[in-house]
């Protein structure tokens, strides 16, 4: 069996099947040995089953996000981890739509996925999780995840690298030995930077350890926006796809990440 | 003279009190100004005032020593509170030390924040990789609501502090307690958000807090009823994990206490070091009921 040296990691897809399709093609063009999906396949965007169909068609292994956990257990909300009523208002709209439009068979399949996975890449032990190693909906933002806390999580889990998503903004912090966190960002919506592209990450093992590449993905965002409108999803969601600025679920952002956005 | 009104644990009405486990120290608070405050709010749950020396100011050495221990323990975030933190002469050095190792917040009444202070805070924020939040308390939409609670003339001074932060590009979190009756409603929130926008905050951030019926609040309104207790309660693992005391501690000049709410309860002092406090704590105080029933967390 061929050694695995290059792996693509897809963060929250949020039903953006057009970006998912573009990301799979981009990852394959870069010669990855494997692609992993880190949960939250549905949410926010239109036609949630289409993303699941793509993942299954390409045999992409995945772990559960809070959406898969909630959908497969018939939960009443997404358990996104928001605390502000403004965030929860839009989160509920997103969840109710996704719950109604996800097929029963796919919901059941989601419940069969593991909540974490481990991979070895070079000499690094990777722990794949949706939010954090201890909580599926914990937000690991760059500006509120200090290095001593990262070390604590790595030690507690016998891992060298945590690979996660959930926040929707990609970042990494790794020490000289490569130990740390890579948050792969999200395919589902832009990174709140005024650009319409979305992101995923590729980790490559080489002579200098494991290197991270954050890959921007362009896709037909106007088509996605039109389909979201046709599906009756909120104008605020559509605006984010069209402008690259987050308009909802903003209160959870730490000060630094919030200040970089427009709203 | 000490104005400490000691909080005694409740007698178990039936059964025993559940104990909250320590799941990992994520949040470290500093009672950095002790119980000394330039205001004397009528709802303060620890009765802070200009003359309440029940808890002393912390020194820079004390804070840096706890920070060093917190770094070893992998603490995620730091909060400075009081009293009024800006009355501590070493506060900026303390912020700098905390921001070097993690995200940091300060809870203030805002009245000491002038332009120069705002500029120093903005410089500290810019210099750190981590988020720095200034959290300001206000208790009404105007002087008529706020000043009877926080003191004559305070509304205007609070608003000046908020505006000073906005001018340097800092976006404070505004907290309102439910002493402002409408605050928890949608209409009340909307009104506060509009007020904050009018002060120059383009991205208004608002946190509503329930009242704790201890300290001055016990005199202003009422104390806890006998039934407002966790005696005999059976909390699930998730419910216990949701309590802030499962992952926080507060360092005071006199040692480490379980949480920011119970620093007037001698039984809530858990040790001299952080490490010594990493053990379960019995939820035998009335205020524990509020945290459980209202889902209260002092953190932002």
């Amino acid at each position: 069996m061929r050694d695995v040296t290059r792996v693509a990691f897809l963060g929250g897809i949020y039903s953006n099947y057009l970006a998912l399709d573009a990301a799979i093609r981009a990852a394959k063009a870069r010669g990855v040995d494997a692609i992993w999906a880190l949960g939250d396949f549905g949410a926010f965007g239109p036609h949630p089953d289409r993303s699941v169909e793509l993942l299954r068609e390409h045999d992409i292994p995945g772990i559960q996000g809070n959406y898969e956990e909630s959908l497969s257990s018939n939960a009443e909300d997404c358990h996104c981890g928001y605390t502000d009523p403004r965030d929860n208002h839009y989160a509920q709209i997103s969840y109710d739509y996704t719950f109604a439009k996800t097929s029963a068979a796919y919901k059941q399949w989601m419940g069969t996925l593991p909540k974490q996975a481990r991979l070895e890449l070079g000499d690094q032990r990777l722990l794949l999780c949706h939010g954090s190693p201890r909580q599926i909906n914990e937000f690991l933002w760059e500006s509120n995840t200090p290095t001593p806390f990262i070390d604590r999580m790595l030690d507690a889990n016998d891992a060298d690298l945590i690979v996660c998503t959930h926040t929707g903004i990609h970042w990494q912090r790794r020490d000289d030995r490569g130990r740390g966190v890579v948050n792969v960002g999200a395919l589902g919506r832009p990174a709140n930077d005024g650009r319409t592209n979305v992101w995923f990450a590729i980790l490559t093992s080489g002579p200098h350890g494991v290197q991270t590449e954050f890959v921007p993905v362009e896709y037909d965002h106007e088509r996605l926006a039109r389909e979201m409108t046709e599906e009756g999803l909120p104008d605020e969601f559509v605006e984010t796809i069209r402008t690259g600025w987050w308009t909802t679920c903003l209160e959870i952002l730490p000060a630094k990440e919030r200040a970089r956005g427009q709203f | 003279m000490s104005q400490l009104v000691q909080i005694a644990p409740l007698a178990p009405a039936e059964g025993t009190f559940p104990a909250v486990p320590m799941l990992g120290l994520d949040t470290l608070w500093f009672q950095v100004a002790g119980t000394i405050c330039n205001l004397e709010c009528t709802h303060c749950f620890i009765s802070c005032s200009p003359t309440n020396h029940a808890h002393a100011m912390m020194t820079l050495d004390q804070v840096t020593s706890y920070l060093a221990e917190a770094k070893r323990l992998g603490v995620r975030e730091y909060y400075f509170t009081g009293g009024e933190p800006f009355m501590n002469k070493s506060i900026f050095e303390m912020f700098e030390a905390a921001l070097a190792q993690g995200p940091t917040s300060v809870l203030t009444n805002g009245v000491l924040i002038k332009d120069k202070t705002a500029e120093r805070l903005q410089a500290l924020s810019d210099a750190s990789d981590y988020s720095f939040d200034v959290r300001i308390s206000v208790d009404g939409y105007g002087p008529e609501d706020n000043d009877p609670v926080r003191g004559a003339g305070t509304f205007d001074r609070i608003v000046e502090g908020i505006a000073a932060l906005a001018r340097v590009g800092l976006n404070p979190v505004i907290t309102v307690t439910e002493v402002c009756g409408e605050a928890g409603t949608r209409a009340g929130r909307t009104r506060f958000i509009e007020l904050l926008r009018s002060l120059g905050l383009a991205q208004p951030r608002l946190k509503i807090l329930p009242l704790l019926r201890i300290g001055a609040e016990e005199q202003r309104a009422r104390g806890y009823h006998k039934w407002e207790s966790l005696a005999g309660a059976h909390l699930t693992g998730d419910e216990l994990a949701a309590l802030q005391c499962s992952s926080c501690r507060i360092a005071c000049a006199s040692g480490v206490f379980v949480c920011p709410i119970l620093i007037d309860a001698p039984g809530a002092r858990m040790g001299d070091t952080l490490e010594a406090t990493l053990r379960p704590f019995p939820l035998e105080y009335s205020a524990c009921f509020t945290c459980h029933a209202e889902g209260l967390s002092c953190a932002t």
Side-chain angles (χ1 to χ4, degrees):
Chain A
M1 200 176 102
R2 190 160 64 111
D3 276 352
V4 171
T5 60
R6 175 171 283 201
V7 182
F9 296 96
L10 313 179
I13 297 164
Y14 312 153
S15 305
N16 190 340
Y17 69 98
L18 297 170
L20 173 61
D21 184 53
I24 292 169
R25 281 188 276 114
K28 290 189 171 174
R30 282 171 161 77
V32 299
D33 301 307
I35 303 176
W36 276 84
L38 302 182
D40 280 5
F41 311 143
F44 192 77
H47 313 301
D49 277 359
R50 293 185 188 174
S51 294
V52 178
E53 281 157 15
L54 271 172
L55 291 172
R56 288 163 62 102
E57 180 189 324
H58 290 273
D59 277 332
I60 293 172
I63 59 172
Q64 288 185 39
N66 49 288
Y67 253 80
E68 287 69 44
E69 190 178 71
S70 285
L71 290 170
S72 64
S73 60
N74 287 321
E76 289 182 0
D77 65 68
C78 65
H79 297 149
C80 290
Y82 299 133
T83 54
D84 189 278
R86 286 171 283 179
D87 289 355
N88 281 322
H89 170 74
Y90 285 104
Q92 196 63 48
I93 294 172
S94 166
Y95 183 75
D96 290 345
Y97 170 84
T98 308
F99 188 89
K101 296 276 182 164
T102 301
S103 70
Y106 284 169
K107 283 179 189 162
Q108 191 182 18
W109 168 75
M110 289 169 185
T112 68
L113 299 176
K115 295 196 175 170
Q116 295 188 352
R118 287 179 184 269
L119 287 183
E120 292 203 358
L121 196 59
D123 60 356
Q124 294 227 294
R125 299 164 300 167
L126 275 51
L127 175 58
L128 318 187
C129 54
H130 181 74
S132 80
R134 63 184 185 179
Q135 202 177 309
I136 201 166
N137 64 355
E138 185 170 24
F139 292 90
L140 298 185
W141 304 98
E142 182 173 20
S143 84
N144 78 353
T145 309
T147 303
F149 177 64
I150 294 173
D151 291 340
R152 176 177 133 199
M153 287 191 290
L154 293 174
D155 291 345
N157 291 282
D158 291 322
D160 300 308
L161 196 57
I162 293 161
V163 186
C164 63
T165 174
H166 191 52
T167 63
I169 299 180
H170 58 285
W171 64 277
Q172 66 170 335
R173 191 176 313 119
R174 301 171 65 193
D175 67 14
D176 297 344
R177 292 174 295 163
R179 280 167 54 92
V181 168
V182 175
N183 187 319
V184 305
L187 286 175
R189 63 174 182 172
N192 198 23
D193 57 3
R195 296 165 59 182
T196 55
N197 67 275
V198 294
W199 297 83
F200 73 98
I202 291 177
L203 297 185
T204 304
S205 164
H208 304 295
V210 174
Q211 306 295 319
T212 311
E213 181 192 7
F214 290 114
V215 183
V217 179
E218 303 286 351
Y219 69 101
D220 190 348
H221 64 275
E222 281 298 337
R223 177 176 160 191
L224 189 84
R226 282 196 303 276
E227 291 184 10
M228 288 168 75
T229 300
E230 285 162 14
E231 285 296 290
L233 288 161
D235 291 342
E236 289 85 350
F237 293 2
V238 177
E239 184 183 346
T240 294
I241 293 298
R242 285 210 163 103
T243 65
W245 296 115
W246 292 4
T247 56
T248 60
C249 301
L250 289 158
E251 302 310 314
I252 197 70
L253 289 172
K256 278 197 190 284
E257 283 81 356
R258 182 77 186 262
R260 290 184 200 124
Q262 186 160 323
F263 299 105
Chain B
M1 196 185 107
S2 166
Q3 296 183 355
L4 177 63
V5 182
Q6 293 197 340
I7 300 172
L10 296 160
E14 50 183 272
T16 54
F17 293 96
V20 62
M22 168 40 74
L23 300 175
L25 187 57
D26 288 352
T27 307
L28 178 59
W29 290 76
F30 293 102
Q31 190 71 23
V32 73
T35 36
I36 303 153
C37 191
N38 50 342
L39 305 185
E40 200 164 356
C41 304
T42 59
H43 64 342
C44 182
F45 60 88
I46 44 176
S47 309
C48 293
S49 78
T51 57
N52 185 350
H53 296 281
H55 284 276
M57 293 265 179
M58 294 184 79
T59 65
L60 181 57
D61 279 352
Q62 286 172 329
V63 169
T64 53
S65 167
Y66 282 122
L67 282 172
E69 193 186 3
K71 192 174 182 178
R72 288 197 298 277
L73 294 171
V75 167
R76 184 170 188 185
E77 58 179 356
Y78 303 99
Y79 281 82
F80 289 84
T81 188
E84 171 47 51
F86 286 97
M87 292 180 77
N88 189 310
K89 290 188 169 57
S90 303
I91 195 67
F92 290 98
E93 289 85 349
M94 293 169 175
F95 290 156
E96 191 174 7
L99 281 165
Q101 65 184 58
T104 299
S105 297
V106 56
L107 277 55
T108 171
N109 58 44
V111 305
L112 299 177
I113 298 179
K114 310 297 178 200
D115 284 334
K116 209 164 207 173
T117 305
E119 284 162 17
R120 285 186 79 176
L121 295 172
Q122 192 260 349
L124 282 167
S125 175
D126 275 3
S128 177
D129 291 337
Y130 302 121
S131 277
F132 183 35
D133 270 323
V134 181
R135 214 169 94 181
I136 297 186
S137 306
V138 63
D139 278 304
Y141 313 104
E144 63 284 5
D145 313 305
N146 176 85
D147 289 6
V149 178
R150 299 200 149 254
T154 55
F155 182 82
D156 290 343
R157 294 163 69 197
I158 294 166
V159 159
E160 282 169 25
I162 294 171
L165 292 169
R167 279 194 292 275
V168 298
L170 287 179
N171 183 16
V173 176
I174 309 303
T175 55
V176 185
T177 67
E178 288 177 346
V179 74
C180 176
E182 202 193 14
T185 67
R186 192 168 176 169
R189 297 180 67 88
T190 303
R191 213 173 145 193
F192 270 110
I193 286 167
E194 283 167 5
L195 169 68
L196 298 177
R197 282 193 198 284
S198 77
L199 297 175
L201 298 177
Q203 304 171 331
R205 300 160 78 204
L206 184 67
K207 180 177 170 78
I208 310 293
L209 290 165
L211 289 160
L212 292 154
R213 302 188 179 284
I214 53 178
E217 172 64 9
E218 193 170 348
Q219 308 303 318
R220 188 195 70 88
R222 67 167 177 86
Y224 283 96
H225 296 306
K226 205 171 174 183
W227 59 269
E228 292 173 315
S229 148
L230 294 178
H234 294 282
L235 273 59
T236 66
D238 284 349
E239 287 171 332
L240 289 166
L243 295 170
Q244 62 174 339
C245 48
S246 69
S247 60
C248 88
R249 291 293 180 259
I250 182 162
C252 301
S254 62
V256 183
F257 286 66
V258 63
C259 75
I261 297 165
L262 292 177
I263 63 165
D264 278 344
R269 186 186 183 283
M270 296 186 75
D272 293 320
T273 64
L274 300 176
E275 187 119 39
T277 69
L278 304 183
R279 55 188 159 83
F281 182 81
L283 300 168
E284 57 190 0
Y285 296 88
S286 294
C288 304
F289 176 84
T290 297
C291 289
H292 172 59
E294 306 265 355
L296 168 63
S297 170
C298 301
T300 301

